[in-house]
Structure formats: C-alpha cells, structure tokens
Amino acid sequence: MATTRATFTLGQDLAEQAQRLQVNVSAAARQGVAAAVKRALAESDRAAYQRMPEEPDAFWDEAETWGNE
C-alpha cells in the first residue's frame, strides 16, 4: 500500500495524554481518517440514493429468476 505523509496539529494536552498512555498517534490518525472517509462515503451514497431512488424494474425481476430454478 502506498502512503502519503500528512501533517496535522494536536492540542498539547491531548498530545501529552497520548504520549503518557503510549498511544501510537500515527496509527490512531490513520484509523480516524479511515473511519471518517467510510462515514462520508456512506453519507454520499445515501444522498445519491435519496436523489435517485431505485424503482421496480421488470428486467431485474427476469434477470434474477435464474437462481430460483
């Protein structure tokens, strides 16, 4: 997996707590960004669906019947 460097600021108190508790800040940041991206993608998908909801389509009814044989 290719990586990209990112710089961010962290409040002093939080940074000190992380250091005292031996929190891997890089790993925590990666996990936080990954979770935020996952949430944003889900919200984007939901908004797209709300703009253009699926409608019944006879084609798919026919296409899916092969599994009921």
Side-chain angles (χ1 to χ4, degrees):
M1 170 178 66
T3 60
T4 299
R5 286 189 174 270
T7 302
F8 64 97
T9 56
L10 194 59
Q12 184 174 350
D13 290 343
L14 187 57
E16 288 172 357
Q17 285 179 329
Q19 185 176 16
R20 185 174 62 255
L21 296 169
Q22 298 179 343
V23 171
N24 181 328
V25 174
S26 293
R30 279 191 300 276
Q31 292 167 355
V33 170
V37 166
K38 184 176 181 177
R39 276 192 310 273
L41 285 171
E43 290 171 10
S44 176
D45 287 348
R46 190 176 312 109
Y49 182 80
Q50 288 172 340
R51 283 191 307 274
M52 296 190 70
E54 292 180 5
E55 296 178 7
D57 185 337
F59 171 80
W60 290 111
D61 292 340
E62 294 295 323
E64 293 178 2
T65 58
W66 64 269
N68 295 330
E69 294 179 348

